[in-house]
Amino acid sequence: KNEVEQSPQNLTAQEGEFITINCSYSVGISALHWLQQHPGGGIVSLFMLSSGKKKHGRLIATINIQEKHSSLHITASHPRDSAVYICAVNSGSARQLTFGSGTQLTVLP
Amino acid sequence: NAGVTQTPKFQVLKTGQSMTLQCAQDMNHEYMSWYRQDPGMGLRLIHYSVGAGITDQGEVPNGYNVSRSTTEDFPLRLLSAAPSQTSVYFCASSRFPPVFNTGELFFGEGSRLTVL
């Protein structure tokens, strides 16, 4: 069983829709990361969370430590948001980060 | 701009050839790592380093070699390329290793390697 599960695997939305991507994990963590990967491009860090909620522009990330769950929300989605979104956890007791397999988001105009 | 510089972006090799993927960061980060990304799978750790002179194996180290002679540089060597090493490779760095809170993660742009 993967320690980090993302859902959905694929998501198609119309421009302007509110989008939610979920990440569940099974280990205790010191931090959770949300990353974005554009087609053919590199990976950029969107958020690092230890608790609560963070907002950057139209992106909002939340985390519930007790439920071992995090969500990434995109408000007023735009085609340029089309990318793979990856969740990664920093368990603190492990030598490495654990990555989810990613959510492919496509926003249609 | 500060960040992680990774080269080359594309490479085609024949089975048995060797090559080195270069990775450099200018943020004085302690932790550097190499991942491979294959379709349908999450990023898998190949090797990592927690500082100059210190390296260790990750999840999928076979067929790869690393060294860290300086804080800035962390090259990945393919000793004798095999078709199973066809993948996209990412170098990443962070201020601290994952046994602590890493801080923000920084990734290179990726290297697409094809082994024929």
Side-chain angles (χ1 to χ4, degrees), chain A residues 14-92:
Chain A
Q14 291 294 134
E15 183 173 357
E17 286 186 4
F18 181 85
I19 288 164
T20 297
I21 299 170
N22 297 298
C23 176
S24 296
Y25 52 92
S26 57
V27 297
I29 67 168
S30 59
L32 182 143
H33 300 261
W34 281 104
L35 311 168
Q36 180 192 57
Q37 183 177 24
H38 279 282
I43 300 170
V44 296
S45 176
L46 297 175
F47 295 103
M48 184 182 68
L49 292 163
S50 298
S51 63
K53 177 178 171 179
K54 286 191 175 180
K55 184 174 188 289
H56 182 70
R58 295 179 294 105
L59 273 61
I60 303 166
T62 63
I63 189 167
N64 184 319
I65 297 294
Q66 287 73 28
E67 294 187 3
K68 294 185 167 61
H69 181 268
S70 176
S71 293
L72 177 68
H73 305 288
I74 305 175
T75 62
S77 60
H78 190 276
R80 65 175 174 267
D81 297 324
S82 298
V84 176
Y85 293 84
I86 302 168
C87 168
V89 300
N90 185 170
S91 71

Side-chain angles (χ1 to χ4, degrees), chain A residues 33 37 43 90 92 95 99, chain B residues 37 48 56 90 98-100 102:
Chain A
H33 300 261
Q37 183 177 24
I43 300 170
N90 185 170
R95 298 181 301 159
F99 293 85
Chain B
Q37 185 180 44
Y48 66 94
D56 205 348
F90 287 95
V99 70
F100 306 107
T102 58

Side-chain angles (χ1 to χ4, degrees), chain B:
Chain B
N1 290 339
V4 178
T5 303
Q6 185 181 336
T7 58
K9 287 200 76 170
F10 301 95
Q11 184 72 50
V12 179
L13 291 176
K14 294 182 180 177
T15 297
Q17 288 184 316
S18 62
M19 76 157 298
T20 299
L21 298 175
Q22 302 290 345
C23 178
Q25 52 89 12
D26 58 2
M27 297 170 283
N28 202 32
H29 282 172
E30 289 185 7
Y31 186 75
M32 296 185 74
S33 51
W34 277 102
Y35 297 91
R36 59 179 289 171
Q37 185 180 44
D38 300 295
M41 304 183 76
L43 291 161
R44 293 186 293 168
L45 182 66
I46 304 171
H47 284 285
Y48 66 94
S49 169
V50 297
I54 306 169
T55 63
D56 205 348
Q57 297 179 350
E59 184 183 352
V60 288
N62 292 341
Y64 307 95
N65 202 358
V66 292
S67 60
R68 185 130 178 237
S69 56
T70 66
T71 299
E72 294 78 20
D73 300 298
F74 189 47
L76 177 73
R77 297 181 187 86
L78 279 70
L79 308 172
S80 177
S84 61
Q85 293 178 302
T86 294
S87 188
V88 180
Y89 292 85
F90 287 95
C91 179
S93 76
S94 60
R95 184 157 183 208
F96 300 115
V99 70
F100 306 107
N101 188 327
T102 58
E104 185 177 354
L105 302 175
F106 292 82
F107 287 82
E109 292 191 359
S111 299
R112 185 173 294 275
L113 175 66
T114 302
V115 183
L116 303 175

